[in-house]
Amino acid sequence: MSEEMIPLEKTRTSTFTTQMKRSFIIAKKDLKIYYNKPPVLIQGIFFPIILFIAMTVGRNVQPLYLISGLMAMTIFLTSTSIGPIVFPWESMRRTFERLITCPISIKTILLGSVWSSFIYGILFSLIPLILGMIFLSMELTISLAIVILGIIMAGFAFACFGLILSVPSTDTPGNTMIFTILIKFPLIFISPLFMAISSSPLAFISPLTYFIDIVNVGLGDISVFGSFGILLDAGILLAFGFGFLYLSFALHGKTLEKRFRG
Amino acid sequence: MNAIVVENLSKQYTLPKRSKGGGMGTKKTQNTQGNVQAVDSIGFKVKKGEIFGFLGPNGAGKTTTIRMMTGVLKPTAGKIKIFGLDAWKNQIAVKQVIGNVPEMANTYLSFSGWQNLMFIGELYGVSKEERIKRAENLLKRFDLYEKRDVKTKKYSKGMQQRLLLCMALMSNPKILFLDEPTSGLDVQSAKIIKQIIREYNERGVTIFLTTHDMEVANELCHRIAIINHGKIISLDTPDNIKRLIQEHQAIDIYFTNGVKRQDIEKLPTVKEVQEIKNGFRVIIENIHDSICELVEFIKESNATIKNLNTHEPKLEEAFLKIIERGSKNE
Ligand SMILES: Nc1ncnc2c1ncn2[C@@H]1O[C@H](COP(=O)(O)OP(=O)(O)OP(=O)(O)O)[C@@H](O)[C@H]1O
Ligand SMILES: [Mg+2]
């Protein structure tokens, strides 16, 4: 008995551009479905506000560091709020198997989470920027292009970072929440938020530091890395982003099987 | 022509250290390393245009097999060809031509029925115009059109399952994989789903389904593979599977006055007598011979029959018998 063959080239479906296009379709779905889920709202909106209040009230913070700190915290927390819950949430709700049997690879789904987290993070980090431009424009000289460069680089890096946070827990968004807090809060606390970037070596582990540096420059300060500092910052953020992305591709490929039980 | 060719297919799950040796119902299939041998070198071919059924008790390996065919899980050994393409290595191309309704799956609850279909259609690269046309037709055919703009969290289980089938059909697949498509559904939904399976099959769609429901398998499938402990123990048409246990026919017989079990057991064509409420179940090989013999016996012993039923072998019984026999031979 013969087999009917499907010529591979005819399906044109595994190409880079088709998969890229499909990752945007997934991003659209992620945004529509997850923007108002409790874990996303708590981590993306509630935490930045609470932390902002806790870290600034009663302290005499310079307007510049107030804005850069708030932006850093917001973009970090919001752009890492959707990515980690997509996989566990879809496993829990039993939509994941249907999704992964669409003509896409797991990388496409992960990229979709990156884009949705990226957009969500950017939208929210614009709020402190706009507030700063309205209320503190007298005290700051803002170079919007530099700030936006920083937002884009950091949004990408943090969105990719978020994917790694959903590796350990397979189908319990609650566990993922706890795990992400355990990782994210220490990172925030070692970052130079609401202050000048000191030479504390610990701060340079945190990707937030490089974003803060860019925004500081964009708001009229100078970079701690000297005259071409912001290029270095952008480069490091990009490297962080691709590093995290690569790592998440590898790790999620391994844990995938555990998401399909019974 | 073959739509699916499976050869020497095996799947072993590696258990995390903590749960090794434990777990529900996994003991039997665990090998010495504590791994679960969910599928154990099976092979079969599904013809193009066929409805092929996979039957087996809980934990037999049905879902694992489907997941390997749909590119979700990587086989530990062996290969699966779907229209000549490797189900794992060419998974994206394979996924493009198949439709899938996974076991106990859900739609996106915060999307409406319509939004779910648009999302899926878009992922398969169906043009917008075509998506709208197909979604309208499918929703009407599945009796969901009125509820198309309602979020699916308001759908009943049967409606969810119908929508999942619509989603699987949005891309006009050549093969449809259905894991327990009618289990736990209301009669109406199960009926629509069965009708539509037949309808799409008549249009040339190959169908691979698993089910616990013997009637579904009997009604729908051209061929059935019975799987237990990860092995295929029988592969045949529903009729032939029934015939396999033809020797296990029975007559239920009820008397008004005391007939002793031992007396019936003595009759030559009787294989076994079981006591049932107010009567006996007589296991026989041939209905005609045994009834003649029973009538003879009744005349001689002056007994009076209250009631007599013959017992057609149901596919369900065939299934249980074959599984029993399979596990004895293991
Ligand atoms: N992700 C997994 N990790 C470890 N073991 C698994 C996993 N999925 C299934 N198993 C085990 O593999 C075996 C086969 O499971 P499978 O789900 O394929 O059976 P099934 O025939 O679909 O059963 P059911 O009728 O209950 O759906 C079972 O022993 C099950 O416990
Ligand atoms: Mg199953």
Side-chain angles (χ1 to χ4, degrees), chain A residues 257 260-262, chain B residues 13 15 26 36 38 57-64 103 180 212:
Chain A
E257 212 160 87
F260 303 104
R261 281 191 193 282
Chain B
Y13 291 108
L15 289 181
T26 53
V36 177
N58 285 346
K62 304 181 294 289
T63 300
T64 305
E103 183 177 32
E180 317 255 356
H212 278 123

Side-chain angles (χ1 to χ4, degrees), chain B residues 85-282:
Chain B
L85 295 180
D86 189 288
W88 181 255
K89 287 192 197 110
N90 305 120
Q91 55 167 282
I92 296 179
V94 168
K95 287 166 174 177
Q96 185 72 43
V97 297
I98 64 172
N100 181 28
V101 178
E103 183 177 32
M104 298 194 330
N106 270 321
T107 59
Y108 289 105
L109 299 181
S110 42
F111 276 1
S112 67
W114 185 262
Q115 285 175 308
N116 269 294
L117 288 182
M118 289 302 116
F119 170 61
I120 289 291
E122 219 180 338
L123 273 185
Y124 281 82
V126 182
S127 72
K128 184 160 191 187
E129 204 184 335
E130 190 63 29
R131 281 206 299 276
I132 293 173
K133 208 170 81 192
R134 286 185 197 174
E136 278 178 353
N137 288 337
L138 284 166
L139 288 167
K140 282 178 188 157
R141 180 65 191 88
F142 281 78
D143 209 7
L144 289 169
Y145 193 68
E146 307 290 300
K147 295 275 161 86
R148 65 188 179 283
D149 292 325
V150 175
K151 284 187 177 176
T152 63
K153 64 165 79 103
K154 298 235 165 66
Y155 279 23
S156 70
K157 187 165 187 310
M159 291 165 75
Q160 284 266 356
Q161 188 71 359
R162 279 184 270 154
L163 186 63
L164 279 163
L165 203 48
C166 291
M167 286 158 74
L169 291 167
M170 272 300 278
S171 57
N172 279 347
K174 288 173 183 288
I175 307 181
L176 202 51
F177 289 93
L178 308 168
D179 200 350
E180 317 255 356
T182 57
S183 83
L185 297 189
D186 56 289
V187 180
Q188 184 59 25
S189 294
K191 200 173 149 196
I192 296 187
I193 286 175
K194 277 187 275 183
Q195 271 170 6
I196 285 168
I197 291 174
R198 258 189 235 110
E199 204 175 293
Y200 273 83
N201 178 249
E202 271 156 28
R203 289 192 217 164
V205 180
T206 306
I207 293 171
F208 185 98
L209 61 85
T210 75
T211 173
H212 278 123
D213 188 337
M214 294 306 133
E215 280 320 302
V216 174
N218 197 13
E219 275 174 63
L220 289 175
C221 296
H222 300 127
R223 284 190 305 149
I224 300 174
I226 294 182
I227 177 169
N228 195 28
H229 296 314
K231 293 197 178 85
I232 290 182
I233 52 181
S234 178
L235 198 166
D236 219 323
T237 60
D239 281 346
N240 282 344
I241 285 180
K242 271 198 238 168
R243 204 166 300 145
L244 266 181
I245 58 130
Q246 209 67 32
E247 72 255 37
H248 291 286
Q249 291 189 105
I251 298 171
D252 289 350
I253 189 160
Y254 305 86
F255 300 101
T256 44
N257 43 351
V259 170
K260 289 204 187 76
R261 177 179 173 162
Q262 298 92 295
D263 295 334
I264 307 175
E265 265 171 350
K266 278 182 200 137
L267 300 173
T269 65
V270 169
K271 293 180 74 180
E272 194 191 329
V273 180
Q274 296 159 2
E275 272 179 60
I276 52 176
K277 210 179 170 198
N278 302 324
F280 303 103
R281 170 161 298 170
V282 185

Side-chain angles (χ1 to χ4, degrees), chain A residues 13 90 93-94 100 257, chain B residues 11 67 95-96 106 108:
Chain A
T13 187
E90 300 225 3
R93 284 288 171 86
R94 304 198 71 107
I100 200 150
E257 212 160 87
Chain B
K11 179 71 192 178
R67 283 179 177 155
K95 287 166 174 177
Q96 185 72 43
N106 270 321
Y108 289 105

